[in-house]
Amino acid sequence: MTIRHLRQPTVDCAEPRELAEFYRQLLGWEYAPGHEEPDPDGDEFLLLVDPERKARLGFQRSDATVPPWRVGARVHLDLEVTDLAVGHDDAVRLGARPLTGTPEEEGHADDPFRVYEDPSGHPFCLCLDR
């Protein structure tokens, strides 16, 4: 068997609808067809799609705990923004919590990014598009 393409990353979380909605608003993406309305039996899996590219992001119900940032192995999302300050304001307004300061405060002004925690505790980065 040859694996040729990545289908999508899927984020394990306690409340898939809530976390999917956070990322839908943050990214400006859309729910995949059939995922727009809440499932009365509980959303076990949701999928977001980028309306401009072939990118997808899944959300799956899980009772697993999210370890604090920098503890244990994990995967995180790097999200590209054209303005780090505007991206910061949007992320915080939607419920993200900053885990680092500005690039200048953190000593990486030449490679500007900031680390955040989404509402479920998963880390992600906003990275300036250069």
Side-chain angles (χ1 to χ4, degrees):
M1 175 176 83
T2 301
I3 298 172
R4 299 172 19 151
H5 302 284
L6 173 66
R7 184 174 179 90
Q8 82 248 343
T10 298
V11 181
D12 292 338
C13 55
E15 297 295 334
R17 177 67 58 180
E18 289 176 17
L19 195 57
E21 186 59 20
F22 167 80
Y23 281 103
R24 185 192 69 77
Q25 291 182 47
L26 185 66
L27 295 168
W29 290 13
E30 301 169 352
Y31 286 105
H35 292 235
E36 303 92 337
E37 297 298 321
D39 181 346
D41 294 327
D43 294 304
E44 296 298 319
F45 179 81
L46 291 167
L47 188 63
L48 295 179
V49 294
D50 183 335
E52 298 176 10
R53 299 181 185 97
K54 289 186 175 183
R56 303 158 38 130
L57 183 59
F59 301 87
Q60 180 173 298
R61 186 173 306 282
S62 170
D63 293 330
T65 59
V66 180
W69 182 53
R70 296 190 185 211
V71 177
R74 67 172 79 216
V75 174
H76 70 270
L77 301 175
D78 284 345
L79 307 176
E80 192 173 87
V81 295
T82 56
D83 185 311
L84 199 55
V86 171
H88 168 83
D89 291 345
D90 287 345
V92 170
R93 177 180 52 78
L94 292 169
R97 185 173 72 88
L99 297 177
T100 62
T102 66
E104 293 75 22
E105 292 168 344
E106 297 294 320
H108 51 78
D110 292 338
D111 186 19
F113 63 92
R114 288 192 73 171
V115 182
Y116 299 83
E117 182 177 87
D118 71 24
S120 291
H122 300 92
F124 69 94
C125 294
L126 294 182
C127 307
L128 188 60
D129 175 19
R130 288 194 166 183

